[in-house]
Amino acid sequence: MDKTVGVLGGGQLGRMLAEAANRLNITLIILDKASAPAKQITAHNAHITGSFKDGPSIHELTKKSDVLTIEIEHVDADILREIEESGTPVHPSWSTIKTIQDKYEQKLHLRERGVAVADALPLSSDSEEELGSVGRQLGYPFMLKSRKDAYDGRGNFPVRSAEDIPAAIEALGKRGANSLYAEKWASFTMELAVMVVQTKDGTLAFPAVETVHENSICKLVYAPARGVSTSTFKAAEGLAKRAVSSFKGKGVYGVEMFLLPNGELLINEIAPRPHNSGHYTIEACPLSQYDAHLRAILDLPIPEDSLRIREPAIMLNILGGPKPDSHINIAKYALNNPRTSIHLYGKGDGSPGRKMGHLTVTAHSMSECETLIAPLIHEVDILSS
Ligand code: ATP
Ligand code: MG
Ligand code: MG
């Protein structure tokens, strides 16, 4: 516990990592802007103000840290390579970050290792002709995606028919040549996610959860997934572990999957860090994904039984709404709701669609959770309409 962990990025994931670190008295040094959410709750003067994409700042962080980790994958992987090669451990490895941060490369990596992913085609231009030809190959609808710097659906455009092509180019074309790819539409019955923990000894997994997205952004997480057979749980956890074990580096990985009507599972994407669909672990499991991440990168024990779900849970994201304080009103409303934990990230004023906080309800049964969360979902829906 006497190790200092340097973290690239200090958003909400860094903040919840800091909460876990504080309990074990582990020092986190955050590289991000001065007011970053993670810095607000870690009072020491060693934090670094700067961009997590900036070489000199990353080197300065390295000098102060025993091990480096990330809370966002959109960092400079080549700089992390230099650091890893000069002896400071980086988890996950630079090579993992490099592959995963390009969603098309990530798909190729998984497909080459026999892991099922949606069919995808790279685009060299963003011309109407090329998109039309992709539409004929993949069929409609298909999802146009940005290869890099994509998050919360802000790099996705569903192309429902050939008529949508000009709007798709308008939305994503400015990302430049070779920056997009197209993905076959997955007509899933449910989206699942599994948080996998890679340790020095192998991989462990939290149980599979159900995720519900609206406009490509995560809205709700049901833990464990509802109405799913034991064999699907096992298959999802097995697939997620197999996928993660193909990547180098310790820590938590969030694995997003599509469950198809025939029971088949396809991986959507992998995040090489704690993940939105793992927030529920803070209240519902003996160890949270943040506890597990720190223990994994510091080679501390993780008893497998600590990753079970102690009580069913539902997590609801609080997004920014029409007014700068819309999210605060949701949080205030939730204060009266029983069995509800409220997390606000300290990001200041909200803007529409930005993740500002989340709520987790836990109860003895999933149906009790559903009853308890219903008014909160209603409130969120009113605010975003
Ligand atoms: P994240 O915030 O999870 O990093 P992202 O911006 O990387 O999101 P994706 O995970 O690629 O975006 O997609 C977001 C959501 O859009 C998915 O969870 C799913 O609901 C929908 N989606 C993505 N790809 C497809 C697809 N091929 N077929 C159908 N729906 C899809
Ligand atoms: Mg993503
Ligand atoms: Mg995703």
Side-chain angles (χ1 to χ4, degrees):
M1 262 88 89
D2 50 354
K3 294 254 166 66
T4 297
V5 178
V7 188
L8 279 75
Q12 69 266 25
L13 299 172
R15 181 171 169 121
M16 289 180 268
L17 191 68
E19 288 172 351
N22 287 346
R23 286 194 299 276
L24 279 186
N25 203 29
I26 294 167
T27 304
L28 290 196
I29 302 183
I30 310 289
L31 164 58
D32 207 333
K33 55 183 179 312
S35 61
K39 290 184 178 175
Q40 296 167 19
I41 62 159
T42 40
H44 60 71
N45 299 324
H47 296 307
I48 295 163
T49 304
S51 164
F52 45 75
K53 296 187 179 194
D54 172 55
S57 302
I58 300 175
H59 283 295
E60 198 187 333
L61 178 70
T62 308
K63 278 193 215 124
K64 297 181 174 186
S65 309
D66 297 305
V67 48
L68 289 194
T69 191
I70 56 165
E71 62 108 54
I72 178 164
E73 61 275 27
H74 309 304
V75 297
D76 188 331
D78 295 322
I79 294 173
L80 292 180
R81 177 183 194 162
E82 288 169 27
I83 289 168
E84 211 172 308
E85 286 175 353
S86 61
T88 302
V90 180
H91 290 290
S93 167
W94 71 272
S95 58
T96 296
I97 296 168
K98 181 125 188 144
T99 304
I100 285 184
Q101 67 186 187
D102 180 330
K103 289 165 82 170
Y104 182 68
E105 286 296 330
Q106 181 193 140
K107 285 223 146 55
L108 289 183
H109 169 102
L110 291 169
R111 194 191 295 157
E112 279 162 14
R113 284 152 187 84
V115 175
V117 290
D119 277 348
L121 292 170
L123 292 166
S124 55
S125 71
D126 35 38
S127 66
E128 292 199 20
E129 294 70 41
E130 197 178 10
L131 263 86
S133 135
V134 158
R136 284 188 293 279
Q137 283 180 73
L138 296 177
Y140 292 97
F142 68 85
M143 190 70 101
L144 186 64
K145 291 192 179 185
S146 177
R147 292 172 65 144
K148 287 191 172 177
D149 291 317
Y151 66 98
D152 295 346
R154 290 169 205 210
N156 283 4
F157 193 97
V159 186
R160 310 229 168 250
S161 68
E163 278 95 83
D164 281 351
I165 289 177
I169 293 172
E170 173 68 27
L172 296 179
K174 39 189 168 306
R175 294 199 177 220
N178 295 312
S179 65
L180 303 179
Y181 76 102
E183 211 172 279
K184 192 177 165 70
W185 196 262
S187 296
F188 53 80
T189 53
M190 188 183 276
E191 289 188 79
L192 296 174
V194 176
M195 300 307 114
V196 173
V197 193
Q198 187 142 262
T199 71
K200 64 181 185 351
D201 305 315
T203 52
L204 302 165
F206 286 92
V209 300
E210 172 186 353
T211 64
V212 177
H213 291 75
E214 225 168 61
N215 303 322
S216 276
I217 179 162
C218 178
K219 179 178 186 186
L220 287 155
V221 173
Y222 295 84
R226 297 169 303 172
V228 166
S229 67
T230 310
S231 63
T232 299
F233 272 108
K234 275 207 182 120
E237 288 152 29
L239 180 65
K241 281 184 177 177
R242 199 151 58 78
V244 168
S245 59
S246 74
F247 289 107
K248 207 174 142 217
K250 291 179 276 200
V252 166
Y253 293 70
V255 184
E256 302 177 12
M257 279 172 260
F258 299 130
L259 175 62
L260 303 183
N262 65 2
E264 198 189 327
L265 289 162
L266 291 182
I267 291 199
N268 169 25
E269 62 164 348
I270 299 182
R273 51 163 169 80
H275 191 257
N276 193 171
S277 51
H279 293 347
Y280 80 92
T281 56
I282 296 174
E283 286 83 12
C285 303
L287 282 186
S288 76
Q289 62 168 348
Y290 305 99
D291 298 320
H293 185 71
L294 289 169
R295 288 185 184 211
I297 66 174
L298 296 175
D299 293 338
L300 299 171
I302 303 178
E304 191 161 14
D305 194 38
S306 307
L307 306 188
R308 75 195 156 84
I309 294 177
R310 213 163 14 197
E311 245 195 344
I314 303 177
M315 191 273 332
L316 172 65
N317 271 335
I318 306 178
L319 304 181
K323 292 199 227 111
D325 63 346
S326 297
H327 60 287
I328 301 289
N329 291 328
I330 304 272
K332 282 187 181 157
Y333 180 84
L335 287 170
N336 287 310
N337 212 58
R339 309 189 70 103
T340 303
S341 295
I342 305 166
H343 298 252
L344 286 173
Y345 303 150
K347 290 182 173 178
D349 284 352
S351 52
R354 188 162 183 228
K355 287 176 179 165
M356 302 305 291
H358 76 267
L359 306 164
T360 302
V361 168
T362 58
H364 304 303
S365 67
M366 184 54 87
S367 65
E368 214 179 316
C369 289
E370 286 168 327
T371 307
L372 284 165
I373 201 136
L376 300 175
I377 297 176
H378 183 67
E379 204 58 24
V380 159
D381 288 344
I382 292 175
L383 233 117
S384 56
S385 63

